[in-house]
Amino acid sequence: MPHLYLHVPFCVRRCSYCDFSIAVRKRIPAREYVDAVLRELEGVRATDAGAAPRGAPERGLDTLYLGGGTPSLLPIDALTGLLTSLRDAFGVTSLRDHDVEVTLEANPEDVTTEIATGWRSVGVNRVSLGAQSFDDRVLTWMHRSHDAARIGAAVHALRGAGIDNISLDLIFALPAELQRDWERDLALALSLGPDHLSLYGLTVEERTPLARWISRGAVVPPEDDRYADEYLLAHSRLAASGYRFYEVSNACRDERRSRHNSAYWSGRPYLGLGPAAHSYDGRARRWNVAAWPAYARAVAAGRSPVESREVLTPEQRELERVYLALRSDAGLPVTAFDRPRPPSPARWVEQGWVEVRGDRLVCTPQGWLRLDSLVRDLTDVGAVA
Ligand code: SF4
């Protein structure tokens, strides 16, 4: 069963830390967007029917993820048309049951009871809400367009509409001068009882307002210690409330993992449509042009919007396998260390970076803090078993 990702690139403004491929628009060209994505799908299918490469779209869907950008800006009629066409294209009888996980990323200010009811009626059964912080001062600094009160209102509206699988995104490790109270934000997020939380440390990306503020000395970049302290605090607060991290940045309760993102983390194939969307067939990756106008032009002219492809070498696939295994709670089999000059798994355990679960080694929070260096240790010294 395939996993389908749609990149919806539109935002009403750019957040201060964001370097995603977005198109800032006051009015969303919803009709053009839906037509373009469906046309791209037709093109992918025609190519695959001719060449029959690995990863050709199959019938049926396991997960559908609308990410962005801000998918919650799509008007309900456009979303209905899009999801109905995709349902038909993939031969899915109905998106309204929970057989297909249908996630929509939403900004809190876009969610009302009426809109959430519309989403539910077209098959959306999971919403990932860009909360980021419950401090209005911080939200203003981030250039977000919602205030803290809208987050709770959005969660209530979603539940009222029958969407109870809700994830909240929060950003931590903000510059010290903001005096953000991370503990308070965690407590307020937990008080809403979401099934899932995604926690991301702030990174300073080039060509963002934040990078410009830092380069002219208006903001001091966050220190590494703050990142580690806040990450570990999140682990302890969430564990005390019954949540479990199943991936370096993602925690859930009652096993309500993101099925879509779990597919990425376990190396399964997926198809991405829309500007900047990536696809992977288990062997090769390809990605579309990032800019919306270039994407729309290519598709309208009947050309492929694919910008580039790369076939992964066996070494790259191995590196990726190790990285994905260590970043999730799947962990690495102990046999991964059976080779010449391996790092010592006993030392990793002794340092508190991994713990043994059956025949696998799974990262602890301390291990996830040094994930890159663990992967380097394991892959630098030769092929992994
Ligand atoms: S809403 Fe999301 S995608 Fe859009 S600018 Fe903000 S962080 Fe980036």
Side-chain angles (χ1 to χ4, degrees), residues 4 6 38 41 64 81-91 273:
L4 178 62
L6 300 186
L38 295 176
L41 178 60
L64 166 59
L82 178 61
L83 295 193
T84 306
S85 300
L86 290 174
R87 189 194 65 198
D88 294 347
F90 283 88
L273 301 173

Side-chain angles (χ1 to χ4, degrees), residues 2 18 33 58 61 172 224 236-237 265 277 292 323 341 374 382:
C18 178
Y33 172 76
E58 307 158 39
L61 271 181
F172 65 96
D224 289 351
S236 75
R237 289 295 182 275
W265 301 324
W292 158 248
Y323 180 70
R341 296 188 296 116
L374 295 186

Side-chain angles (χ1 to χ4, degrees), residues 56-140:
E58 307 158 39
R59 290 277 154 182
L61 271 181
D62 186 9
T63 66
L64 166 59
Y65 194 105
L66 293 107
T70 315
S72 53
L73 289 175
L74 280 178
I76 195 67
D77 57 337
L79 186 68
T80 305
L82 178 61
L83 295 193
T84 306
S85 300
L86 290 174
R87 189 194 65 198
D88 294 347
F90 283 88
V92 176
T93 333
S94 169
L95 289 174
R96 289 168 69 172
D97 51 41
H98 282 262
D99 286 351
V100 186
E101 179 190 87
V102 184
T103 303
L104 182 125
E105 285 183 353
N107 280 349
E109 69 273 20
D110 296 331
V111 187
T112 62
T113 302
E114 192 191 347
I115 287 170
T117 304
W119 291 345
R120 184 71 199 100
S121 72
V122 297
V124 173
N125 50 35
R126 183 172 184 275
V127 167
S128 173
L129 210 53
Q132 317 311 358
S133 172
F134 288 80
D135 181 330
D136 286 341
R137 228 172 17 88
V138 169
L139 291 168
T140 303

